[in-house]
Each structure stands twice: as structure tokens, then as C-alpha cells.
Amino acid sequence: MRFRPPRPDSPKRVLGYLAGLVLFGIVGAIALAYTGLYNIAADHGHPPPVYWFLEVGMTRSIELHADNDEVPPPAAPGLARLGAGHFAGGCEYCHGKPGVPPDPISRRMLPMPPKLERASDHWTQGELAWILDHGIQASGMPAWPSQVRADEVWAVVAFLEELPNLSTAEYERMVAGNARLGARSADEITDWGEAEASLTGCARCHDTPDAPPVSTLVPRLGGQSRDYLLAALKQYHLGDRESGFMMPVAAALDAAQRSRLADYYAALETPPHEQAPPDEGAVARGEQLALFGDKDGMIPSCRSCHGEGARADYPKLDGQSADYLAQQLRLWQDGVHGRSEAGRIMATIAQRMSAEQVKDSAAYYASRPAFAPGGGTRQARADGAP
Amino acid sequence: MKRAGPLLLLLLVAACAGPQSALSGAGSGSGRALLLTIVMTVGFTAVFALVLGLTALAIFGPQGWRERFGREGWVYGLGIAFPVVVIGALLLWGFAILGADEALADAEDPVRIEVTGERWWWRVTYLTDDGRRVESANELRVPVGRTVELALKSADVIHSFWLPAYAGKTDMIPGRTNTLRFVADEAGRVRGQCAEYCGGAHAFMAFWVEAMPEAAFEDWLEHEAGPPPETSFPDGETVFLSSGCGGCHAVRGTPGASGEIGPNLSHVGSRTSLGAGIMPNDREAFVRWVADHQEIKPENNMPPYDILNDEELAALGAYLEGLQ
């Protein structure tokens, strides 16, 4: 028998074979889904090739999409403590805490949420920030509650950097923030459950009579105007004001609770932020802007809205932290804030401010004696002034 | 159809009247310009008719006429000498009229007013004889028969100050001061507007000018320089001050209202119009402006004040109307 070389196929034919293969693949995939042959049960687990496929796909996708050149915002004092407050309420249930096995319910998720003590070894800061901001599809990992506050996830990244070094007790102390979470009695446990740090525990991040806010990025609330506090809580509740930290908290609070909290904080005496003394030049320039505005830049004086005799739904700024004030002004400049009625006023003005003016005005208000319940300042009260 | 022609003419003539007409000739310069316009229009209509008549004669006329038109003398006479004399005379007269207002530069004791075009309103500052600066907005008052000297400036882009009843357009150019002088011949109220496209709300940038007898003007300026009468609407004043209006708007004599960014509101209730010549100047208009100004004049520089409820708006409207 004579050897007959296979006849070279025409290019047209090769294309035909390829199209057939693709069609076969599509039909096969549809058949797999439609027949229900693949077992989707979480307790069944993935077959090793599928596991490999998903794991590699996820890792490569994160590495590709995360921006490692993105410069994290300069670390504000207490940044990791702020992240800790959110972690305990938002992440701990699935990811567990140091020295304690994860919750039996979350352990039955597939994929099982990883313990995060190794997260900062495994991922770069940019990758962690990306995962926190965007979440991971079909894994149970949600995206950040506010999709326009990528700045906030860095607090959680900072906390994840510290997590590997924390003992159980240190972790508990850190996530409690300013809240006094003591052991509960049997009665309390039967009614309320264990003293878990709930997201809605304001004192985990905000000020108490004994302590300032845990971070300079967290506003001081004690003595703030009641109407402003109520409006802010309502805006967070409705999603009109953006914050991945505050939106889940306020979403859980009904109108009566919000009103009680506003009353409570408006009457609360609390110590001011612990923050580095502001630059004197910045304070002087900020004072000029706060008292007289900038006519050429069409910026009215800050005090025309944030001074004596201002509306009750305008916030008091005296003694607020510079980091927080500057951050809020930048959010108005970036168009993140400005959906509420009052926010639209401030957005117009903030967008006329230069980066320098933002820093200067924040430094000036941070340098002022801190506001107190009613009117006046804490200092004036200590001096016995009426 | 026979009556359509006169009717159309009537409509055209009607459009020439009114407070913003360049044909009213209510001021020194505009009066002379009007005379020049009439003389030119009548004169050149006559010349045009003459040319047509001669042309018709040259074509259809009797043999004798046609022969006469063939001579060169016609070209020298009507073709060269006549236009040179007529147009030359007109040019000289035109120069004289254009230059006539320059003589106003020598006027003793003119009324000096600074007008600055801003998007989209007019900052008006009266410079009094004793050196005070009295700021107002969106309206000018001038004495009859006395030279008015306007220093025209711009705070942002190029605007043009056009007050056709008294004078021609004069541009307002950033970084420059242009001077416009005129004399209002009789008392009355005329309208002007920005005549150079200056952004989205350019068409909503107008103003009123009231020419009044000298003594009345002096009294008015003295009142304008002072604070408004004590308000009968303290609730409205509280809304005004606590909401931060005073950060941009000044009300003389009111602590907390010393802003210089927006129009001075010391006597806003006594003005002819609101929003730079686009709305009436009553309580309802003030309420409508504060509540809806971004709809009424899109992209103007005032922040939206959606924060005010109906009660606060009503109080604020009453207070502003009371700033007389």
C-alpha cells in the first residue's frame, strides 16, 4: 500500500472545524447548566480542576485590576482604629478574629472566607484596597457600601496591616474603640446576645465623655448642633450622604433612634480631638478666609454660615479635626457630597476653594477652642463664663 | 393686501419706540446721532432717486437728453465733484458728532459712577464728591442735564455696556477701564443691556437707568449711601443672616451682612427690577428668585438655597422687599 499524505485542507475547512468546536463548547456549557448535572452544593466542594480554575482566575484578576501605584492617603492618626471599628461590625462575622475559630455558620460558606491574619502578606496594599472597594464576584465578598468613597477603604487596609500582630485581647480592645463592652450577665445574654461590637455602636469610633474620636478622620459629635446631627443621620440613612462607614450604621437606625441619638450627642460634653498642633501660617491664612472670605475667588467668609447665630442645621466647626474638615471639603470638591439641600450650598463654595485654602481653613477651625453643648466653647465653660 | 404695506410700516415704527430704543435720542450723544441718521437717510434717499431718474432719462429719455448725457462734463460734475463734496461734508459732520461727547470730558463736576460687568449682573458704585464709594447694583440713577462719567470695568469676561437711549455700546474689558460720558436730556426711565455674549445667561443681563432732576438725585444718593430703615420683618432678617446670605451680600448698617461677592442689597427693595432687569421687584419675585434662581438664571454664581422652607422664604421675601 502506498503512503498517501493527508490532503491539506483548505483554510475554509479549518475555519469550519473551529466553528464546530466552538459551537460544541457553547452547547455543552448550556447543557451542563440546563441539565443541572453540576452539583452546586456548598458542602459538596469544587472538583480540584474547578477549584484551580477559580483560584487562579481570581488571583490573576485582582493582580491585573488593582493599582499598586495608587498612593494611599497620608495616614491620619488612628486610621487603623477607624478600620478596626468597621472590621468588627462588617467583616468579623465571616472572617473571624485572632485566636478564635471562625463562626460555624460562615465556615460553611463556599468559598470559605479566609482568616485575614495573613492577608497583608498575601496581597499588596493596593490589592487589598481594590478588594475592599470592589468586592469579589460569587464569593460572598461585597463591594464597599459607598462606591464613591475609595478613600475610606484605606482605614481597613491599615487595620489589616496591624491584624497579624494582635492577640485576642488586643483585638477586642482595638475594635471596641471608645465603647465599654463589658462581659454580659446571663440575663443580658439571653435577651441581647453576647456583647458583640455592633456596627451601630457609635462610641466604637466617635467621642465619649472620656475620650475623643478614635481617629482624626472621625468627626467629634459631642455638643454639635442637634438639627445638623439629625439631618446628617437622615442623609446617611437615605444614602444622600456617602460613607461606607456611616451608611450601614444609619440604615439600621429608624427615625426615633436617630432623633434620640441627635439629642444625646447635642447635649454631650466630650474632649476634643488629639491632633498635632496645626501650622501657624496655615492657621493665620485660614483665619483670614474664615473671617473675611476671598472676594476674588468668590468664596464667602466661612463664619457667615458657621459662626455665631448660624442656622441650627449648619454644623459647628470650632475645634473639629483638621483631617476630617479637609477630607469633607475635598469630597465636596470631587462632587461626592452635595446631594442634600445644605450640601448643595457647600458644594458650590468648596469647588471654588484651592487645595491651599482647604488646608488653611481646616487648620484654622482645628485650632479654635472646641465647641460645646448649647453655644460657646469648652474652654469658656471651664473658665466659668456664662 | 392694499392695507398690508402701511400696517407693516406701523409695526416697524412701533418697534422703534420704548425704553431701549436707539432712536429715542434721549441723551446728548444719541440725539446728535439720531439727527445724523435722519439726515443721511433722507439725503441719500434723495440722491438714490436722482440717480435712478437720470438713469431712466439716459435710457428712455428723448433723443436730446440722451445726447446731452453723453458729454464728459457729467462724469466730472455728478460722478466726481458731487460725491466728494457731499460725502466729504457728511464725514466732517460725522466726525464732529462723534467727537462732541469728548467735550464732556472737560465738564466740571461730572457724576462719577463705576460700573463693573459681572456674570451676570452689574456692580454699580457711585463716587461721591466727598470721596465716598456708594455701592449698589443692577440699576443706575443719574441727574438730568449733568454730565455722567461712567468708568466701565469687567470682573470676569468681556461684557458690553449698551444704553441706546443715551449712548453707543462700550465694551467692558477685564483689566481695563473704558470711559463713557453722556448727558441725559430729560427725566425718565430707560433700559440697557449687555451687548457682548458673556456666557449662558448673557441674555438675562440687563439694567434700568432712571434720569431724575438734580435735587432729587442728590437726595436719593444720600439715602442710598445710608442704611435701609429698620426692618419690620425681623424673622426675615434672621433667615437672611443665619443662612449665610450676608457672606456674599452687604446690607449697610447690618452686622454680619458685609459680603462683597454678590450684589449689594442695602436698598434692593427700592429698585425697578430684580435679577438684573429680568423680573419685577416685589415680594413674590424675591421668593421666586431665592427658591429658583438656578432655573431663572442658569449657572449664576449664587449657591442653590433649597434648604429654605416656604415659611422662611416668605419671611425672607418680606425682609428683602422692605430694604428700601
Side-chain angles (χ1 to χ4, degrees), chain A residues 319-337:
Chain A
Q320 196 60 277
S321 101
D323 286 339
Y324 168 74
L325 292 175
Q327 174 68 6
Q328 294 297 305
L329 281 168
R330 282 192 288 268
L331 291 172
W332 269 297
Q333 294 187 314
D334 296 344
V336 172
H337 280 356

PDB file of all heavy atoms in Angstrom, chain A residues 319-337:
ATOM      1  N   GLY A 319     -12.865  73.683  66.550  1.00  0.00           N
ATOM      2  CA  GLY A 319     -12.185  72.604  67.248  1.00  0.00           C
ATOM      3  C   GLY A 319     -12.355  71.242  66.588  1.00  0.00           C
ATOM      4  O   GLY A 319     -11.844  70.250  67.105  1.00  0.00           O
ATOM      5  N   GLN A 320     -13.076  71.175  65.481  1.00  0.00           N
ATOM      6  CA  GLN A 320     -13.195  69.902  64.761  1.00  0.00           C
ATOM      7  C   GLN A 320     -11.807  69.537  64.208  1.00  0.00           C
ATOM      8  O   GLN A 320     -10.939  70.395  64.098  1.00  0.00           O
ATOM      9  CB  GLN A 320     -14.223  70.081  63.630  1.00  0.00           C
ATOM     10  CG  GLN A 320     -14.754  68.797  63.023  1.00  0.00           C
ATOM     11  CD  GLN A 320     -15.455  67.887  64.018  1.00  0.00           C
ATOM     12  OE1 GLN A 320     -14.775  67.131  64.726  1.00  0.00           O
ATOM     13  NE2 GLN A 320     -16.766  67.948  64.098  1.00  0.00           N
ATOM     14  N   SER A 321     -11.586  68.271  63.870  1.00  0.00           N
ATOM     15  CA  SER A 321     -10.222  67.919  63.465  1.00  0.00           C
ATOM     16  C   SER A 321      -9.926  68.412  62.054  1.00  0.00           C
ATOM     17  O   SER A 321     -10.801  68.431  61.185  1.00  0.00           O
ATOM     18  CB  SER A 321     -10.014  66.409  63.553  1.00  0.00           C
ATOM     19  OG  SER A 321     -10.094  65.817  62.284  1.00  0.00           O
ATOM     20  N   ALA A 322      -8.671  68.812  61.827  1.00  0.00           N
ATOM     21  CA  ALA A 322      -8.266  69.351  60.529  1.00  0.00           C
ATOM     22  C   ALA A 322      -8.357  68.272  59.455  1.00  0.00           C
ATOM     23  O   ALA A 322      -8.773  68.537  58.329  1.00  0.00           O
ATOM     24  CB  ALA A 322      -6.850  69.917  60.621  1.00  0.00           C
ATOM     25  N   ASP A 323      -7.955  67.036  59.820  1.00  0.00           N
ATOM     26  CA  ASP A 323      -8.012  65.945  58.833  1.00  0.00           C
ATOM     27  C   ASP A 323      -9.442  65.728  58.351  1.00  0.00           C
ATOM     28  O   ASP A 323      -9.699  65.572  57.156  1.00  0.00           O
ATOM     29  CB  ASP A 323      -7.494  64.631  59.443  1.00  0.00           C
ATOM     30  CG  ASP A 323      -5.984  64.635  59.581  1.00  0.00           C
ATOM     31  OD1 ASP A 323      -5.328  65.422  58.868  1.00  0.00           O
ATOM     32  OD2 ASP A 323      -5.470  63.855  60.406  1.00  0.00           O
ATOM     33  N   TYR A 324     -10.378  65.712  59.290  1.00  0.00           N
ATOM     34  CA  TYR A 324     -11.783  65.488  58.929  1.00  0.00           C
ATOM     35  C   TYR A 324     -12.318  66.630  58.073  1.00  0.00           C
ATOM     36  O   TYR A 324     -12.933  66.410  57.022  1.00  0.00           O
ATOM     37  CB  TYR A 324     -12.632  65.338  60.191  1.00  0.00           C
ATOM     38  CG  TYR A 324     -14.126  65.384  59.931  1.00  0.00           C
ATOM     39  CD1 TYR A 324     -14.772  64.293  59.346  1.00  0.00           C
ATOM     40  CD2 TYR A 324     -14.877  66.501  60.247  1.00  0.00           C
ATOM     41  CE1 TYR A 324     -16.134  64.338  59.086  1.00  0.00           C
ATOM     42  CE2 TYR A 324     -16.237  66.549  59.995  1.00  0.00           C
ATOM     43  CZ  TYR A 324     -16.859  65.473  59.418  1.00  0.00           C
ATOM     44  OH  TYR A 324     -18.200  65.518  59.157  1.00  0.00           O
ATOM     45  N   LEU A 325     -12.067  67.874  58.493  1.00  0.00           N
ATOM     46  CA  LEU A 325     -12.601  69.029  57.764  1.00  0.00           C
ATOM     47  C   LEU A 325     -12.057  69.077  56.342  1.00  0.00           C
ATOM     48  O   LEU A 325     -12.807  69.285  55.380  1.00  0.00           O
ATOM     49  CB  LEU A 325     -12.259  70.330  58.502  1.00  0.00           C
ATOM     50  CG  LEU A 325     -12.965  70.539  59.850  1.00  0.00           C
ATOM     51  CD1 LEU A 325     -12.442  71.805  60.516  1.00  0.00           C
ATOM     52  CD2 LEU A 325     -14.469  70.636  59.648  1.00  0.00           C
ATOM     53  N   ALA A 326     -10.733  68.867  56.210  1.00  0.00           N
ATOM     54  CA  ALA A 326     -10.129  68.925  54.878  1.00  0.00           C
ATOM     55  C   ALA A 326     -10.684  67.799  54.001  1.00  0.00           C
ATOM     56  O   ALA A 326     -10.973  67.996  52.818  1.00  0.00           O
ATOM     57  CB  ALA A 326      -8.609  68.823  54.985  1.00  0.00           C
ATOM     58  N   GLN A 327     -10.846  66.624  54.607  1.00  0.00           N
ATOM     59  CA  GLN A 327     -11.380  65.488  53.861  1.00  0.00           C
ATOM     60  C   GLN A 327     -12.797  65.778  53.357  1.00  0.00           C
ATOM     61  O   GLN A 327     -13.136  65.516  52.202  1.00  0.00           O
ATOM     62  CB  GLN A 327     -11.375  64.246  54.766  1.00  0.00           C
ATOM     63  CG  GLN A 327     -12.040  63.027  54.184  1.00  0.00           C
ATOM     64  CD  GLN A 327     -11.249  62.468  53.004  1.00  0.00           C
ATOM     65  OE1 GLN A 327     -10.157  62.939  52.718  1.00  0.00           O
ATOM     66  NE2 GLN A 327     -11.801  61.490  52.341  1.00  0.00           N
ATOM     67  N   GLN A 328     -13.635  66.363  54.223  1.00  0.00           N
ATOM     68  CA  GLN A 328     -15.001  66.671  53.819  1.00  0.00           C
ATOM     69  C   GLN A 328     -15.020  67.715  52.700  1.00  0.00           C
ATOM     70  O   GLN A 328     -15.776  67.594  51.745  1.00  0.00           O
ATOM     71  CB  GLN A 328     -15.812  67.188  55.019  1.00  0.00           C
ATOM     72  CG  GLN A 328     -16.024  66.153  56.112  1.00  0.00           C
ATOM     73  CD  GLN A 328     -16.829  64.955  55.634  1.00  0.00           C
ATOM     74  OE1 GLN A 328     -17.919  65.092  55.125  1.00  0.00           O
ATOM     75  NE2 GLN A 328     -16.266  63.764  55.776  1.00  0.00           N
ATOM     76  N   LEU A 329     -14.155  68.730  52.818  1.00  0.00           N
ATOM     77  CA  LEU A 329     -14.103  69.756  51.767  1.00  0.00           C
ATOM     78  C   LEU A 329     -13.700  69.134  50.433  1.00  0.00           C
ATOM     79  O   LEU A 329     -14.251  69.464  49.386  1.00  0.00           O
ATOM     80  CB  LEU A 329     -13.117  70.866  52.166  1.00  0.00           C
ATOM     81  CG  LEU A 329     -13.660  71.875  53.177  1.00  0.00           C
ATOM     82  CD1 LEU A 329     -12.543  72.750  53.722  1.00  0.00           C
ATOM     83  CD2 LEU A 329     -14.732  72.747  52.540  1.00  0.00           C
ATOM     84  N   ARG A 330     -12.745  68.187  50.494  1.00  0.00           N
ATOM     85  CA  ARG A 330     -12.325  67.537  49.247  1.00  0.00           C
ATOM     86  C   ARG A 330     -13.466  66.716  48.650  1.00  0.00           C
ATOM     87  O   ARG A 330     -13.610  66.620  47.430  1.00  0.00           O
ATOM     88  CB  ARG A 330     -11.090  66.665  49.490  1.00  0.00           C
ATOM     89  CG  ARG A 330      -9.793  67.488  49.589  1.00  0.00           C
ATOM     90  CD  ARG A 330      -8.576  66.592  49.543  1.00  0.00           C
ATOM     91  NE  ARG A 330      -8.409  65.836  50.765  1.00  0.00           N
ATOM     92  CZ  ARG A 330      -7.679  66.239  51.807  1.00  0.00           C
ATOM     93  NH1 ARG A 330      -7.033  67.384  51.749  1.00  0.00           N
ATOM     94  NH2 ARG A 330      -7.586  65.501  52.882  1.00  0.00           N
ATOM     95  N   LEU A 331     -14.290  66.115  49.514  1.00  0.00           N
ATOM     96  CA  LEU A 331     -15.422  65.341  48.998  1.00  0.00           C
ATOM     97  C   LEU A 331     -16.419  66.254  48.284  1.00  0.00           C
ATOM     98  O   LEU A 331     -17.039  65.868  47.298  1.00  0.00           O
ATOM     99  CB  LEU A 331     -16.116  64.585  50.137  1.00  0.00           C
ATOM    100  CG  LEU A 331     -15.289  63.450  50.737  1.00  0.00           C
ATOM    101  CD1 LEU A 331     -15.963  62.884  51.977  1.00  0.00           C
ATOM    102  CD2 LEU A 331     -15.076  62.339  49.719  1.00  0.00           C
ATOM    103  N   TRP A 332     -16.578  67.502  48.794  1.00  0.00           N
ATOM    104  CA  TRP A 332     -17.439  68.442  48.084  1.00  0.00           C
ATOM    105  C   TRP A 332     -16.807  68.853  46.764  1.00  0.00           C
ATOM    106  O   TRP A 332     -17.484  68.985  45.759  1.00  0.00           O
ATOM    107  CB  TRP A 332     -17.699  69.691  48.940  1.00  0.00           C
ATOM    108  CG  TRP A 332     -18.906  69.576  49.785  1.00  0.00           C
ATOM    109  CD1 TRP A 332     -20.188  69.431  49.343  1.00  0.00           C
ATOM    110  CD2 TRP A 332     -18.968  69.598  51.217  1.00  0.00           C
ATOM    111  NE1 TRP A 332     -21.040  69.355  50.416  1.00  0.00           N
ATOM    112  CE2 TRP A 332     -20.323  69.462  51.566  1.00  0.00           C
ATOM    113  CE3 TRP A 332     -18.012  69.728  52.211  1.00  0.00           C
ATOM    114  CZ2 TRP A 332     -20.752  69.447  52.887  1.00  0.00           C
ATOM    115  CZ3 TRP A 332     -18.439  69.716  53.527  1.00  0.00           C
ATOM    116  CH2 TRP A 332     -19.792  69.567  53.848  1.00  0.00           C
ATOM    117  N   GLN A 333     -15.484  69.058  46.793  1.00  0.00           N
ATOM    118  CA  GLN A 333     -14.808  69.460  45.558  1.00  0.00           C
ATOM    119  C   GLN A 333     -14.924  68.374  44.496  1.00  0.00           C
ATOM    120  O   GLN A 333     -15.065  68.661  43.323  1.00  0.00           O
ATOM    121  CB  GLN A 333     -13.331  69.735  45.844  1.00  0.00           C
ATOM    122  CG  GLN A 333     -13.123  70.941  46.741  1.00  0.00           C
ATOM    123  CD  GLN A 333     -11.666  71.299  46.890  1.00  0.00           C
ATOM    124  OE1 GLN A 333     -10.822  70.432  47.119  1.00  0.00           O
ATOM    125  NE2 GLN A 333     -11.358  72.571  46.766  1.00  0.00           N
ATOM    126  N   ASP A 334     -14.857  67.104  44.937  1.00  0.00           N
ATOM    127  CA  ASP A 334     -14.907  65.990  43.982  1.00  0.00           C
ATOM    128  C   ASP A 334     -16.332  65.637  43.577  1.00  0.00           C
ATOM    129  O   ASP A 334     -16.543  64.681  42.834  1.00  0.00           O
ATOM    130  CB  ASP A 334     -14.234  64.751  44.583  1.00  0.00           C
ATOM    131  CG  ASP A 334     -12.754  64.980  44.833  1.00  0.00           C
ATOM    132  OD1 ASP A 334     -12.225  65.951  44.269  1.00  0.00           O
ATOM    133  OD2 ASP A 334     -12.128  64.202  45.577  1.00  0.00           O
ATOM    134  N   GLY A 335     -17.306  66.371  44.113  1.00  0.00           N
ATOM    135  CA  GLY A 335     -18.688  66.087  43.738  1.00  0.00           C
ATOM    136  C   GLY A 335     -19.279  64.878  44.439  1.00  0.00           C
ATOM    137  O   GLY A 335     -20.343  64.394  44.050  1.00  0.00           O
ATOM    138  N   VAL A 336     -18.588  64.338  45.455  1.00  0.00           N
ATOM    139  CA  VAL A 336     -19.123  63.191  46.197  1.00  0.00           C
ATOM    140  C   VAL A 336     -20.250  63.665  47.116  1.00  0.00           C
ATOM    141  O   VAL A 336     -21.339  63.100  47.134  1.00  0.00           O
ATOM    142  CB  VAL A 336     -18.014  62.516  47.024  1.00  0.00           C
ATOM    143  CG1 VAL A 336     -18.605  61.453  47.935  1.00  0.00           C
ATOM    144  CG2 VAL A 336     -16.971  61.913  46.098  1.00  0.00           C
ATOM    145  N   HIS A 337     -19.975  64.736  47.868  1.00  0.00           N
ATOM    146  CA  HIS A 337     -21.010  65.346  48.684  1.00  0.00           C
ATOM    147  C   HIS A 337     -21.807  66.325  47.813  1.00  0.00           C
ATOM    148  O   HIS A 337     -21.341  66.744  46.767  1.00  0.00           O
ATOM    149  CB  HIS A 337     -20.388  66.150  49.836  1.00  0.00           C
ATOM    150  CG  HIS A 337     -19.968  65.282  50.987  1.00  0.00           C
ATOM    151  ND1 HIS A 337     -20.191  63.936  51.025  1.00  0.00           N
ATOM    152  CD2 HIS A 337     -19.335  65.592  52.144  1.00  0.00           C
ATOM    153  CE1 HIS A 337     -19.706  63.454  52.171  1.00  0.00           C
ATOM    154  NE2 HIS A 337     -19.177  64.437  52.861  1.00  0.00           N
TER     155      HIS A 337
END
